[in-house]
Amino acid sequence: MTSSEASTQRIPPFVSLGSARAMVAPSTTQALPPFRAGSIFGEASLAVSRETISGGLSNVMDTMDDSSPIARDLAHENRRRERLLGRELPKPDKTRVFTVSNQKGGVGKTTTTVNIAAALAAAGLQVLVIDIDPQGNASTALGVEHHADIDSIYDVLINDIPLHEVVAPCPDVENLICAPATIHLAGAEIELVSLVAREQRLRRAIDVYAKERAKNGEERLDYIFIDCPPSLGLLTVNAFCAADEVLIPIQCEYYALEGLSQLLKNIEMIQKHLNADLEVSTILLTMYDGRTNLAAQVAAEVRQHFPKQVLGAVVPRSVRISEAPSYQQTVMTYDPSSSGALSYLEAAAEIAER
């Protein structure tokens, strides 16, 4: 199979990522079952990955010396994969609601939202993504229709349509549902101004939806991720009022640090006047380029100021992450063996275990 054919092949939902050993002899690789509930990787994946090299061929990862940078990177990535094998993610005591926000655009908010949500859902957890960005990119990445003729989160906020009438399942990932955004959200900021309890409308819709799920005997949601637009208008304020935690993706560049200070001031205002329970619990470094000193300096500065909030996982710049939305997929299903997918799996595991 050529590289172009491989990039367009639709990958079944969440087969195991395996390890670098499994990629040495692709012709002998066996199909793996989907992830079982509560585990990021199936137990079978390690056994299969160790048996994929047959016919007396040597195990490349065991015999490769690490004197070259490429060999060291491959060996390090392989060790990271093996640390995730068989790890079970705990279910939270109650639904954890995250607002994924950063007023600066292009820092990876939507990418972070859909990929962490997909990773958690693949581990057997019940996850809802609410897309309140008028661009609707999260809806696109999850393969959920969001054209102007369907009911969306706009109708929930403005027309009081119940959330359960809007949510749709992600076709590629079990346990993952999405409340899509449509272009109508572009005018929602103006329409919300005259409505009663304009800042609390999303929170009320989520509370009603949770009660309806319990009444119908459905499983409780474990995680809700709200993907925000790159602004601090009423849509974002609604997201802050509905959430308990804020997840801030930060691009490893200087401008991202400037935007962070303003974002934190606005979160303080929300805490003081609208939602005292809101906290910045998680910061994720994205678009990290290890070849530049600037990325390392930004990462070090963020870790120094927010030692408890910054995740150990760092998301690198990755072509696969950028390509995935064009196929209406997350990178977790588009290319589960990529470094980007591995980084988001690590981030999801850290969030779940906090």
Side-chain angles (χ1 to χ4, degrees):
M1 180 182 294
T2 66
S3 59
S4 61
E5 290 171 336
S7 66
T8 57
Q9 183 183 21
R10 194 168 183 84
I11 299 174
F14 286 86
V15 295
S16 170
L17 302 194
S19 67
R21 296 186 177 94
M23 290 182 277
V24 177
S27 61
T28 60
T29 304
Q30 305 174 31
L32 299 180
F35 292 154
R36 60 182 174 83
S39 174
I40 289 185
F41 294 100
E43 295 285 350
S45 62
L46 181 59
V48 173
S49 65
R50 293 188 187 282
E51 293 170 2
T52 50
I53 302 175
S54 57
L57 294 177
S58 61
N59 188 318
V60 173
M61 291 308 301
D62 289 339
T63 59
M64 181 186 294
D65 79 47
D66 60 357
S67 58
S68 71
I70 293 178
R72 282 196 297 272
D73 289 345
L74 284 173
H76 176 62
E77 187 170 305
N78 190 58
R79 287 192 294 270
R80 289 165 60 198
R81 294 184 192 281
E82 293 187 346
R83 280 197 294 269
L84 290 172
L85 287 170
R87 183 187 294 189
E88 295 188 2
L89 300 187
K91 292 178 76 71
D93 296 332
K94 64 175 184 177
T95 302
R96 295 179 66 183
V97 185
F98 284 86
T99 286
V100 184
S101 179
N102 192 327
Q103 68 197 55
K104 185 181 183 303
V107 298
K109 290 186 296 296
T110 297
T111 301
T112 294
T113 299
V114 298
N115 284 295
I116 289 181
L120 292 169
L125 301 170
Q126 301 295 318
V127 184
L128 165 65
V129 171
I130 298 177
D131 188 0
I132 62 167
D133 186 346
Q135 298 176 82
N137 292 336
S139 308
T140 298
L142 296 178
V144 176
E145 289 188 356
H146 58 104
H147 52 79
D149 296 330
I150 67 168
D151 290 335
S152 68
I153 198 67
Y154 167 86
D155 299 286
V156 174
L157 294 173
I158 305 300
N159 300 325
D160 292 322
I161 288 182
L163 192 55
H164 73 84
E165 295 185 13
V166 170
V167 296
C170 173
D172 291 324
V173 188
E174 293 183 8
N175 308 319
L176 178 57
I177 56 178
C178 174
T182 60
I183 192 61
H184 298 309
L185 270 179
E189 297 271 2
I190 298 172
E191 295 179 67
L192 280 168
V193 170
S194 61
L195 297 181
V196 176
R198 60 192 181 189
E199 300 94 351
Q200 305 289 340
R201 297 181 75 84
L202 181 58
R203 186 185 190 100
R204 287 209 313 271
I206 291 173
D207 291 342
V208 171
Y209 180 57
K211 292 175 182 176
E212 287 176 348
R213 286 180 66 97
K215 182 179 178 181
N216 296 333
E218 299 178 68
E219 281 192 71
R220 185 204 70 194
L221 289 171
D222 296 305
Y223 290 90
I224 298 175
F225 291 93
I226 307 172
D227 184 35
C228 294
S231 66
L232 294 171
L234 277 173
L235 290 175
T236 302
V237 170
N238 261 270
F240 283 144
C241 291
D244 303 314
E245 304 179 55
V246 182
L247 191 166
I248 305 176
I250 296 182
Q251 184 181 7
C252 293
E253 293 185 3
Y254 175 73
Y255 285 141
L257 293 179
E258 281 194 334
L260 178 61
S261 61
Q262 183 60 45
L263 176 62
L264 293 176
K265 290 178 182 177
N266 283 278
I267 291 174
E268 287 179 11
M269 291 179 61
I270 298 294
Q271 291 169 328
K272 186 179 297 183
H273 300 290
L274 295 170
N275 185 3
D277 296 327
L278 186 67
E279 64 169 336
V280 178
S281 65
T282 310
I283 294 175
L284 177 64
L285 298 171
T286 63
M287 304 183 191
Y288 181 83
D289 188 345
R291 299 168 299 177
T292 66
N293 290 332
L294 176 61
Q297 290 168 359
V298 170
E301 190 167 341
V302 174
R303 290 187 187 281
Q304 180 182 350
H305 285 87
F306 306 97
K308 295 181 180 179
Q309 291 88 349
V310 181
L311 296 178
V314 175
V315 180
R317 285 194 177 274
S318 168
V319 173
R320 289 306 199 193
I321 292 176
S322 301
E323 287 176 347
S326 65
Y327 294 93
Q328 296 191 338
Q329 295 185 62
T330 66
V331 74
M332 314 302 299
T333 52
Y334 175 69
D335 189 357
S337 63
S338 65
S339 60
L342 175 59
S343 295
Y344 276 118
L345 281 172
E346 291 175 326
E350 279 191 73
I351 288 172
E353 292 173 350
R354 285 190 165 191

